[in-house]
Amino acid sequence: MAEPVEIDRAAVRRARHGEPLPLLVLLHGYGSDERDLFSLVPFLPEGVAVASLPAPHDAPWPMPGRSWYPIDELERRDPASVTAAADAVLRWLDEEAGAVPSIALLGFSQGASVALQVARQDPDRIAAVVNLSGYAAPGELPGDAALRERRTPVFWGRGTRDDVIPPALVDHTAQWLPDHSELTGRVYPGLTHSVSEDELADVRRFLEGWLAEVQASSSRESAEG
């Protein structure tokens, strides 16, 4: 079992913090930090609070930035380490996001894999996931059956020239996501292990759908109350 890890709460970057808005949590990639995905805020829908979290580990020297979990070699990813990182995100949500009306996660690469693992650990808490150039960790988790029944909306975007994620993990994810989520997927011709303007436009539309559902749910609750 991987050792527990924690999010550095002082390093979290926020936009529209303190407003009673749905919360989008950003989880950066390997060798980056909380400032990276925070630069996407201008491309995101209005009406959403944003929190960009730092990963709990330093990336190994000489790599700059931080890491959600160790990568010993390209073909091996320890699912227990992914789960430990996901549990750290859930503990942060327990302390920092208790009153928000809805939570979605957006991750890139390592962060995307952690985002999916968070949804698997607590399917009832996470309303939507954006998986950019990431993968679903192999193995079974206790929440997988509930996630399959819940059909949480997931956007999965990746490039045809992305040579960072091993093909076996891409193939696993391509089978796992349709079985466990309401999947919106797109493959971008010529895109490497990165994010394009076309992909960001698709992400915005996906998140607007999440926000529309949050608003519709709030209207139904008001009518019933």
Side-chain angles (χ1 to χ4, degrees):
M1 179 180 293
E3 291 293 322
V5 293
E6 297 297 332
I7 303 298
D8 180 359
R9 286 159 174 75
V12 175
R13 300 195 61 136
R14 301 174 184 266
R16 297 182 283 275
H17 175 54
E19 300 181 43
L21 297 171
L23 174 65
L24 177 64
V25 179
L26 308 181
L27 308 178
H28 63 79
Y30 184 77
S32 187
D33 61 31
E34 67 280 358
R35 294 170 292 183
D36 183 23
L37 292 184
F38 195 73
S39 65
L40 299 182
V41 168
F43 299 93
L44 300 174
E46 297 293 331
V48 59
V50 177
S52 186
L53 274 52
H57 301 284
D58 290 325
W61 188 90
M63 174 74 72
R66 305 192 64 76
S67 169
W68 289 99
Y69 50 87
I71 298 179
D72 297 326
E73 56 189 72
L74 212 64
E75 295 298 326
R76 191 163 78 85
R77 308 287 201 277
D78 183 358
S81 296
V82 185
T83 300
D87 288 342
V89 174
L90 285 167
R91 286 192 293 274
W92 182 87
L93 290 172
D94 285 341
E95 296 190 12
E96 303 288 339
V100 300
S102 184
I103 299 170
L105 307 176
L106 184 158
F108 175 77
S109 193
Q110 259 203 356
S113 303
V114 173
L116 287 173
Q117 206 81 338
V118 172
R120 296 171 70 181
Q121 288 287 85
D122 196 344
D124 290 334
R125 180 177 291 188
I126 306 304
V129 177
V130 176
N131 168 14
L132 303 179
S133 303
Y135 67 92
E140 292 292 325
L141 290 176
D144 283 350
L147 188 67
R148 182 185 289 113
E149 184 172 344
R150 186 179 182 84
R151 311 298 296 178
T152 297
V154 173
F155 177 88
W156 181 28
R158 62 184 183 88
T160 58
R161 295 180 59 196
D162 185 343
D163 59 1
V164 172
I165 305 301
L169 288 176
V170 174
D171 292 343
H172 167 73
T173 305
Q175 298 178 49
W176 192 91
L177 279 177
D179 188 45
H180 291 81
S181 69
E182 188 65 40
L183 178 62
T184 300
R186 184 171 175 188
V187 179
Y188 299 87
L191 184 65
T192 59
H193 194 66
S194 58
V195 180
S196 69
E197 290 186 8
D198 286 346
E199 188 172 29
L200 287 176
D202 289 336
V203 168
R204 185 183 180 99
R205 281 189 288 270
F206 175 82
L207 292 174
E208 286 171 346
W210 159 56
L211 293 174
E213 179 55 35
V214 174
Q215 185 174 18
S217 177
S218 177
S219 297
R220 287 194 298 268
E221 291 177 1
S222 296
E224 291 170 359

